């Protein structure tokens, strides 16, 4: 596992929030030789994504966008750490993924080819204790991985609304200890699933 490189993309609007705390708890379990890079989207001057597929002009990427693109391509594992906002990803996290659309269609881009086979993970904290409420966020990340032909390690879920409250979630704390050790199968859209073969 030491040849892996993790990019943690923080999508919360506040520093040291419950989602970040849960992500750092999971990251602490990674072997010492595994590289980690943390990016806080709320602290970056990243404008809203503009779809330039049919626009004229050179479409030169800004400094922040290019930094994010390179950081993404250098990672074997991308971790989207986003609180559950209205049953979906935060605006910061969604905007980061929107930029993937631009990187996919940029002239001469090999973004999809280079991301194929890498692993996408999710971490989220939410106020509700019913984890089914996070299905929309989980589906969004899973389908993103499926489209990119990436592996999907699932989403580490935790409960917490007030500052530091996720530390009181014993189930989340236990899950965090082994989260990145679990198998991350190749993500597939539901219609691509291999049907079960009848027993002879």
């Amino acid at each position: 596992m030491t040849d892996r490189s993790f990019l943690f993309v923080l999508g919360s609007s506040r520093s040291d929030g419950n989602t970040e705390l849960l992500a750092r708890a999971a990251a602490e379990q990674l072997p010492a030789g595994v590289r980690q890079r943390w990016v806080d989207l709320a602290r970056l001057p990243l404008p809203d994504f503009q779809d330039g597929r049919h626009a004229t002009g050179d479409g030169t990427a800004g400094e922040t966008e290019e930094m994010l693109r390179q950081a993404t391509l250098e990672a074997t594992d991308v971790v989207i750490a986003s609180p559950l906002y209205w049953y979906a990803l935060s605006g910061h996290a969604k905007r980061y993924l929107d930029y993937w659309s631009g990187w996919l269609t940029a002239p001469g881009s090999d973004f999809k080819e280079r991301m194929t086979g890498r692993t996408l993970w999710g971490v989220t904290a939410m106020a509700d204790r019913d984890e089914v409420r996070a299905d929309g966020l989980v589906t969004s990340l899973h389908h993103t991985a499926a489209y990119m032909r990436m592996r999907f390690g699932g989403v580490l879920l935790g409960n917490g609304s007030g500052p530091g409250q996720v530390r009181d979630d014993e189930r989340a704390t236990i899950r965090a200890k082994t989260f990145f050790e679990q198998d991350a199968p190749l993500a597939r859209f539901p219609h691509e699933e291999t049907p079960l073969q009848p027993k002879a």
Side-chain angles (χ1 to χ4, degrees):
M1 192 180 199
T2 55
D3 59 341
R4 293 166 70 183
S5 175
F6 279 70
L7 173 65
F8 290 85
V9 182
L10 302 178
S12 179
S13 58
R14 66 183 182 189
S15 297
D16 300 319
N18 286 299
T19 297
E20 180 178 348
L21 291 175
L22 186 57
R24 292 193 182 278
E28 287 175 358
Q29 312 305 316
L30 291 171
V34 173
R35 289 165 293 169
Q36 297 181 31
R37 182 170 183 178
W38 294 76
V39 174
D40 188 343
L41 296 175
R43 305 293 174 261
L44 295 177
L46 185 68
D48 287 338
F49 172 69
Q50 300 295 322
D51 188 348
R53 285 177 294 175
H54 307 294
T56 57
D58 60 7
T60 303
E63 182 178 344
T64 300
E65 178 188 348
E66 183 58 21
M67 179 275 290
L68 280 173
R69 188 182 75 87
Q70 289 296 335
T72 302
L73 287 171
E74 291 169 3
T76 61
D77 297 75
V78 178
V79 184
I80 307 292
S82 168
L84 185 68
Y85 288 161
W86 289 106
Y87 313 106
L89 292 164
S90 70
H92 292 301
K94 178 60 168 59
R95 180 171 56 186
Y96 165 67
L97 290 178
D98 285 347
Y99 270 90
W100 285 28
S101 301
W103 302 339
L104 282 169
T105 58
S109 172
D110 59 353
F111 183 71
K112 186 171 184 177
E113 290 75 12
R114 293 175 66 179
M115 295 302 292
T116 295
R118 302 186 190 197
T119 305
L120 185 65
W121 308 81
V123 179
T124 190
M126 56 185 181
D128 202 299
R129 293 186 179 276
D130 183 1
E131 295 182 349
V132 173
R133 307 289 175 88
D135 281 358
L137 181 148
V138 175
T139 299
S140 179
L141 291 179
H142 174 271
H143 285 8
T144 296
Y147 179 78
M148 298 295 291
R149 300 300 180 197
M150 298 175 70
R151 298 183 178 279
F152 184 58
V155 178
L156 174 60
L157 300 171
N159 177 258
S161 180
Q165 196 173 34
V166 75
R167 294 191 180 102
D168 299 327
D169 186 341
E170 185 176 356
R171 284 198 307 170
T173 300
I174 293 172
R175 290 171 180 168
K177 293 184 182 299
T178 58
F179 181 59
F180 292 124
E181 295 177 6
Q182 63 188 355
D183 183 45
L186 187 67
R188 296 183 183 276
F189 290 111
H191 67 274
E192 295 178 330
E193 298 287 357
T194 303
L196 293 175
Q197 298 297 321
K199 294 182 179 180

